[in-house]
Amino acid sequence: MAQHDTQDARLASLLRAAVAARGARDPAAEMRALRNVLALDPANPSALNALGMLALGTRDFAAADSHFTAAANADPAAPPLWLNVANARRQRGDTEGERTALHRILQIDQRHLMATLRLAELHERLGELPQAGVRWGAVLAIVQMMPEAPAALEPIIAHAQRFVLERSAAFGEAVDAGLAPARAAIDPSERRRFDACIDTLLGRRRIYVNECHGMRFPFLPADEFFDRRLTPWLTKIEAQTDAIRAECAALLRGGDAGFEPYVAMDAGTPENIWSGLDHSLDWSAFYLLRYGKREDAAQAACPITTAALDAMPLNDMPGRGPTAFFSILKPRTRLPAHSGVSNARATVHLPLIVPPGCGFRVGGETRKWVEGHAFAFDDTIEHEAWNDSDQLRAVLIFDAWNPHITPVEQDLLRRFFMVADASGHDPGGAATIAD
């Protein structure tokens, strides 16, 4: 035991001498100390690694590789030693040897930043662009997990971001070109979900989820715009577009009479996304139905619109729905991104007056309103609207049932809210901002 302690002390002393010689820039003295260490302990990883650094300094890359490899084999779980091996092999042009050493590090730690970075560089250097894209993406993911990335990494991170973006764009172009013949043979409505899937995979759009501020009805598809095959009744109201537009235009000729601000918050409401439109006629409504109650005077002024609405599968829940109104968006008015109360309903737009410069986004899909072409959407998915023109925009908006909810479920929902209202408890689910 005493002899072993003596040898350990001797090794420690020699290693300190080697470090001191390195600090004094005396490579000959450092070499002597390291040789003495190896005479006592031939597999000492610290001495072998130090010899490799000396060889690296003299550009003897073969000797550096030999020393670093011996050090790494002596302490195989030490990533820095394998990183030195990879460096020496890169310097001597041993690409496959460098690759092997870097993979050894990732077998120890899959999130090792420098090994991942060096592999990304290796793939890029060899023109292995798909693999380089994967590794540069991994570099960005590892950096993102760090509390704070070192400033020295900033140019590397910038390069990784550029490379990943360029590769994603190139892949997207290849996908579009490869799928073009198949897509051309399929109606856009038939491939809408597939296109959204591919665009999401390529980072060209995101998938939005329901954000219900009231009742969430489970197991319904979180689809942004409902497929026309689910809403065949839209053709009935579309056929009345000219007459409905004429009734809306007659109201507008009377100025703002009968129209009221859509956003009318109670006094003391905290500042929020709607504050800029609070009590403003920039976004106004002429109500025909409000929370399930008929607006008699309004309906008398718009008999054709009223009859057309009565033929729709309205979201009829006494005291809560439906709501139907002419929505007026004045020139240069934008509505902030928002979401509604319950996915039990579908919100329907029948565009009546749509100047150029108007648009509507639900989730990841943006559409232009086309006069006379109605659509239904899930307003619990983030959506926004804008009128960037110098003319007003007019749309008939009304609530219908979500087409995925069955008649039995509709009846049960009505009964639930009747019980809830009778109890004096408000479970949520009333209508709110919807456009």
Side-chain angles (χ1 to χ4, degrees):
M1 180 64 71
Q3 183 178 359
H4 185 271
D5 290 343
T6 300
Q7 180 169 313
D8 285 348
R10 176 63 177 158
L11 286 172
S13 176
L14 289 169
L15 288 171
R16 285 195 298 271
V19 171
R22 187 182 314 138
R25 298 181 182 273
D26 186 350
E30 181 182 1
M31 179 72 76
R32 285 194 299 273
L34 293 174
R35 294 296 183 192
N36 288 331
V37 169
L38 293 177
L40 292 173
D41 182 7
N44 187 282
S46 296
L48 291 167
N49 187 63
L51 285 172
M53 297 302 293
L54 283 171
L56 208 59
T58 61
R59 303 186 63 81
D60 186 348
F61 301 129
D65 181 2
S66 176
H67 292 311
F68 286 144
T69 300
N73 286 330
D75 188 3
L81 299 179
W82 287 111
L83 200 59
N84 287 342
V85 173
N87 184 31
R89 290 176 180 175
R90 179 176 55 183
Q91 297 289 351
R92 67 184 302 195
D94 181 4
T95 298
E96 291 310 308
E98 177 189 2
R99 192 195 306 264
T100 299
L102 293 172
H103 278 291
R104 286 292 297 267
I105 298 172
L106 295 183
Q107 289 170 0
I108 300 168
D109 179 6
Q110 292 184 7
R111 295 180 178 178
H112 195 282
L113 175 60
M114 291 308 299
T116 307
L117 190 159
R118 296 304 179 201
L119 264 177
E121 292 177 335
L122 182 147
H123 289 309
E124 188 175 348
R125 192 168 69 242
L126 297 178
E128 299 169 351
L129 301 186
Q131 298 94 319
V134 171
R135 292 299 178 186
W136 281 124
V139 167
L140 294 175
I142 294 169
V143 169
Q144 199 169 31
M145 291 186 289
M146 300 170 65
E148 185 175 355
L153 285 179
E154 289 179 3
I156 294 172
I157 294 170
H159 174 81
Q161 291 170 333
R162 285 194 302 272
F163 190 92
V164 170
L165 285 174
E166 290 170 2
R167 286 302 304 163
S168 295
F171 179 52
E173 291 171 3
V175 168
D176 290 340
L179 292 177
R183 278 176 164 155
I186 301 171
D187 186 276
S189 64
E190 293 288 332
R191 65 169 206 260
R192 177 172 166 263
R193 290 192 301 178
F194 172 79
D195 287 348
C197 169
I198 299 304
D199 286 344
T200 302
L201 180 68
L202 295 174
R204 298 194 291 212
R205 69 160 284 169
R206 56 173 278 201
I207 299 299
Y208 289 75
V209 298
N210 301 103
E211 297 178 44
C212 302
H213 298 291
M215 170 179 281
R216 179 190 293 274
F217 203 94
F219 314 134
L220 299 181
D223 198 356
E224 297 159 347
F225 291 91
F226 293 106
D227 193 300
R228 286 284 300 218
R229 288 171 297 187
L230 298 172
T231 56
W233 37 267
L234 287 177
T235 57
K236 294 181 180 179
I237 200 162
E238 287 173 334
Q240 299 295 318
T241 297
D242 291 342
I244 294 171
R245 183 192 296 112
E247 290 185 341
C248 179
L251 296 173
L252 291 169
R253 284 195 291 272
D256 292 328
F259 288 85
E260 56 189 271
Y262 191 87
V263 180
M265 299 185 291
D266 294 333
T269 300
E271 188 81 12
N272 59 64
I273 62 171
W274 298 110
S275 297
L277 287 166
D278 189 22
H279 292 89
S280 169
L281 287 173
D282 286 348
W283 181 23
S284 62
F286 184 91
Y287 287 96
L288 299 160
L289 289 160
R290 188 168 355 199
Y291 302 145
K293 181 180 181 298
R294 291 178 177 270
E295 299 286 337
D296 294 332
Q299 292 196 357
C302 304
I304 297 175
T305 305
T306 298
L309 287 170
D310 286 342
M312 295 295 99
L314 299 177
N315 180 229
D316 54 321
M317 290 192 290
R320 295 174 181 273
T323 291
F325 58 99
F326 291 117
S327 170
I328 307 302
L329 209 56
K330 288 194 173 179
R332 306 296 169 183
T333 300
R334 283 182 164 254
L335 306 185
H338 59 285
S339 56
V341 170
S342 175
N343 62 337
R345 71 181 181 188
T347 300
V348 180
H349 282 197
L350 175 64
L352 303 173
I353 302 172
V354 185
C358 294
F360 188 67
R361 176 185 68 85
V362 182
E365 184 172 346
T366 298
R367 294 186 178 184
K368 291 181 179 179
W369 288 290
V370 178
E371 294 179 5
H373 292 266
F375 57 72
F377 67 97
D378 182 343
D379 87 328
T380 62
I381 294 174
E382 181 186 281
H383 56 286
E384 59 183 329
W386 57 91
N387 177 4
D388 291 340
S389 78
D390 294 320
Q391 305 169 58
L392 65 78
R393 180 234 64 180
V395 173
L396 175 66
I397 297 179
F398 60 91
D399 299 332
W401 284 104
N402 183 315
H404 295 289
I405 290 183
T406 68
V408 170
E409 292 168 332
Q410 295 173 18
D411 184 59
L412 288 169
L413 281 170
R414 291 188 198 96
R415 293 173 182 272
F416 165 75
F417 281 111
M418 289 173 60
V419 172
D421 291 341
S423 73
H425 179 73
D426 182 6
T432 188
I433 301 294
D435 193 21

